[in-house]
Amino acid sequence: MRKGERSRQEILRIAVGLASEEGLSGLSIGRLAKELKMSKSGLYTHFGSKENLQLAIVELAAEMVRMELARSIEEVGEGLPRVCQLMSNWVRYVESGIFRGGCFFAAAALEFDGRPGSVKESIVELMRFCLDILEMELGLAKEQEHLQPSTNTSQLVFDLHASTQEANWFIQLMSEPRGGDWARHAIWKRLAREAAPLGQEILEDWKERFRISEEER
């Protein structure tokens, strides 16, 4: 990359970490300039406005999240195996601490859910992308008879995503390291309730990955 673009990416990586801790709204060009020991004019050259800085931060954070959720996805079959891989990745992402303040988009969603504008739209776009991928794979699982015909995939998306958000809340706010394992248990058991016989066989193979003991089944 050109020197200027490389500098911009390095600036953004630091900005993402700050925003995850202090919030997008609180991260001004002045605050970032102080952290980087740069001039405000130098940062204005890269971003031009606080909103442009926020949008660039959201874009980088979204790419980081997509990479985390996509790990090993292509290595497993469509339907319930891919749902299990996606959810396993999602919980691991929440546990990983790649953002200093926990799940970037959980915090950003709370910050911007009542504020119209391009920053909110950018946050919503990433969240819809993740949820749409999950619903698509659940739909394929249903078509492949991994799930029961009566399964409401939209409701299941809501329930599975809720487990990841609770894990983030317990880990970040309550300093409870078991939050990730509790989420894995909740996800596995919720899928087991909806699984058809073929799906039960698939879940059996994922039992160890979700840390389910024989007594907890």
Side-chain angles (χ1 to χ4, degrees):
M1 291 187 292
R2 293 174 302 176
K3 183 178 179 181
E5 179 61 18
R6 182 166 62 249
S7 298
R8 187 175 190 273
Q9 291 301 312
E10 291 169 357
I11 290 166
L12 280 174
R13 290 195 177 278
I14 293 171
V16 165
L18 280 174
S20 74
E21 286 186 311
E22 302 177 9
L24 276 170
S25 298
L27 183 59
S28 64
I29 285 181
R31 170 69 181 91
L32 184 57
K34 182 178 179 181
E35 179 74 17
L36 293 166
K37 297 181 173 59
M38 288 180 63
S39 67
K40 289 184 183 181
S41 60
L43 286 177
Y44 270 110
T45 299
H46 287 290
F47 303 107
S49 69
K50 179 177 178 177
E51 182 177 74
N52 286 341
L53 171 62
Q54 291 172 332
L55 289 169
I57 289 170
V58 170
E59 182 179 353
L60 176 58
E63 182 59 28
M64 293 169 70
V65 171
R66 289 190 190 101
M67 288 178 63
E68 290 296 312
L69 298 188
R71 290 183 185 277
S72 304
I73 284 292
E74 297 299 327
E75 298 173 14
V76 299
E78 292 180 339
L80 196 52
R82 199 162 290 182
V83 170
C84 290
Q85 183 67 57
L86 177 58
M87 296 314 302
S88 178
N89 289 351
W90 212 323
V91 176
R92 186 178 59 214
Y93 151 67
V94 168
E95 293 176 311
S96 68
I98 65 166
F99 299 114
R100 300 198 307 241
C103 176
F104 181 91
F105 285 93
L110 286 174
E111 194 176 354
F112 281 86
D113 60 359
R115 303 182 190 182
S118 56
V119 177
K120 176 184 176 179
E121 290 170 5
S122 184
I123 294 166
V124 169
E125 181 181 355
L126 182 277
M127 296 306 301
R128 281 182 175 158
F129 171 82
C130 296
L131 297 176
D132 286 348
I133 292 293
L134 177 56
E135 182 145 26
M136 180 187 73
E137 292 299 340
L138 286 169
L140 288 170
K142 192 173 178 179
E143 289 177 10
Q144 296 173 13
E145 299 183 352
H146 298 167
L147 298 175
Q148 300 170 19
S150 60
T151 297
N152 182 330
T153 56
S154 295
Q155 179 67 58
L156 191 50
V157 166
F158 181 93
D159 294 347
L160 298 180
H161 181 253
S163 292
T164 68
Q165 296 306 290
E166 283 298 296
N168 183 71
W169 186 77
F170 270 93
I171 292 168
Q172 293 300 318
L173 183 63
M174 307 297 290
S175 300
E176 175 50 77
R178 294 174 294 177
D181 279 341
W182 291 342
R184 290 184 184 89
H185 281 60
I187 290 165
W188 193 92
K189 290 182 178 181
R190 184 67 182 88
L191 290 171
R193 279 165 46 196
E194 299 291 343
L198 183 57
Q200 294 290 351
E201 295 178 12
I202 293 169
L203 286 176
E204 186 69 19
D205 293 336
W206 285 82
K207 185 175 59 179
E208 290 186 8
R209 293 280 296 277
F210 281 84
R211 303 177 189 177
I212 305 295
S213 68
E214 292 296 331
E215 294 77 16
E216 292 169 325
R217 291 182 59 192

